[in-house]
Structure formats: structure tokens, C-alpha cells
Amino acid sequence: REPCERPIGSFIKSRGFKYLWINQVLMQLAVNTLNFALILWVFKLTDSITAVSVLIISFYLPALLFGIFAGVFVDLWDKRRIIIILDLLLAIAIFAFAFIKPSLPLILLDAFLINTLNQFFMPAESSSIPMVVKKQSLFIANSLFSFTLYGSFMVGYTLAGPVFNLFGIDTIFYMG
């Protein structure tokens, strides 16, 4: 077995890894902050727990429908190009909420779209890690990506409430 390259800084200094990781941090924070803010918004808009439940289904249904196929699809195409296209599509879809926020059906559709795109984003990023770090650094790099993914849930969901209360829902759409 090859020894693991200990210093995290050694591969974070890698331009490719740094951009990939920053992209993951920003995208996952945006999606997770948005998802929680949408829960608050839909409840405020409809005063219906059932509407919130349907919204949450729109978050997780894409994983059931597309999660199994997303990795296979991503492996067939240029990962860098997929990530760039997904970044642009996700930015547009998040920004679209500023215009569709009064319409529950459009909110549900856009939330479904964003979480579907995210199903392709995650395997595109994670399968790109071996292309930008040395083999002996893969364990630490993958661990950092996993930590960032789960940390973004905590930070995104924690930020959503205060930002929503202080600045309104549109701020979350524009930040996303």
C-alpha cells in the first residue's frame, strides 16, 4: 500500500482540486440554503403542511428517479463540461424563483428540476477528483468532499432561516 499523503494543503494547492472543491462548497451551500428557505416560503405562502410535504417530495424524488442513472450518464461525457453546464443551469433555475415565487406549482417544478440537476452534479464532481489529485491523496480528498457535502447541509439549513428573516426570500434566490 502506498502511504497517504498527509498534508491537506498539498492537494488543496492543486488548481484543479481547489476549483472543484470551491465549486462543490458554493453549489451545495446554495442548494441546501435554498431547499430550507423554500420550506419556509411554501409554508408562509400556503399555510399548508401538506404543501410543504409535497415540496420535500420534489427535493428527494429526483434521487429515486435519476440517482441510479446519473453516474452512468456522467461517465459518458466530459465531466468538466458537464459541471460547467450544470453550474449555469442551476444558477438560472435558482434565480428563476425570484419570478415564480407566488406560484406553488412552478415552485414545485423548479425545485424538482434543481434537485434533478444536482443528482448529475454530484457524480460529475466526485468522479473528477481522481483527475486532479494524486492517487495517494484520494482518500483524504474524498473525505474532504464528503465532509463538505454533509457540512453544507448543516450550514445551508442554518443560514437559511436568519437570511430569510432578515433579508427576505429574494436574497436567497440572488445569493444562490
Side-chain angles (χ1 to χ4, degrees):
R1 292 172 87 176
E2 294 181 32
C4 184
E5 194 174 305
R6 293 279 182 240
I8 290 178
S10 63
F11 64 86
I12 288 182
K13 289 178 186 174
S14 157
R15 182 177 167 211
F17 181 82
K18 183 173 28 180
Y19 289 143
L20 192 63
W21 185 51
I22 289 169
N23 190 49
Q24 184 211 22
V25 168
L26 295 175
M27 188 56 65
Q28 292 303 325
L29 272 176
V31 169
N32 288 309
T33 303
L34 174 73
N35 282 347
F36 189 74
L38 285 175
I39 291 170
L40 300 174
W41 178 251
V42 166
F43 185 74
K44 185 176 180 179
L45 182 68
T46 65
D47 200 28
S48 168
I49 295 170
T50 303
V52 171
S53 295
V54 174
L55 175 69
I56 292 171
I57 289 170
S58 77
F59 295 165
Y60 294 107
L61 189 58
L64 293 173
L65 297 177
F66 305 111
I68 238 172
F69 306 106
V72 174
F73 176 82
V74 164
D75 284 341
L76 297 174
W77 302 93
D78 176 36
K79 288 166 190 54
R80 183 173 187 263
R81 182 171 291 172
I82 288 173
I83 291 170
I84 291 168
I85 291 168
L86 289 172
D87 280 344
L88 292 171
L89 291 174
L90 283 163
I92 292 166
I94 291 170
F95 187 69
F97 278 114
F99 304 101
I100 65 169
K101 68 183 180 192
S103 171
L104 181 61
L106 290 177
I107 290 171
L108 296 173
L109 184 64
D110 203 16
F112 180 83
L113 173 66
I114 287 169
N115 286 283
T116 298
L117 292 171
N118 204 31
Q119 288 305 306
F120 292 87
F121 181 79
M122 291 187 294
E125 274 205 326
S126 60
S127 64
S128 297
I129 297 171
M131 297 176 199
V132 294
V133 299
K134 294 177 184 172
K135 186 177 180 180
Q136 63 265 28
S137 298
L138 278 177
F139 179 77
I140 294 173
N142 284 323
S143 296
L144 183 59
F145 261 69
S146 292
F147 175 79
T148 303
L149 175 67
Y150 293 109
S152 72
F153 279 102
M154 184 181 73
V155 173
Y157 276 54
T158 303
L159 283 177
V163 171
F164 182 91
N165 282 335
L166 292 172
F167 304 108
I169 191 74
D170 286 340
T171 301
I172 292 172
F173 303 147
Y174 301 139
M175 285 173 40

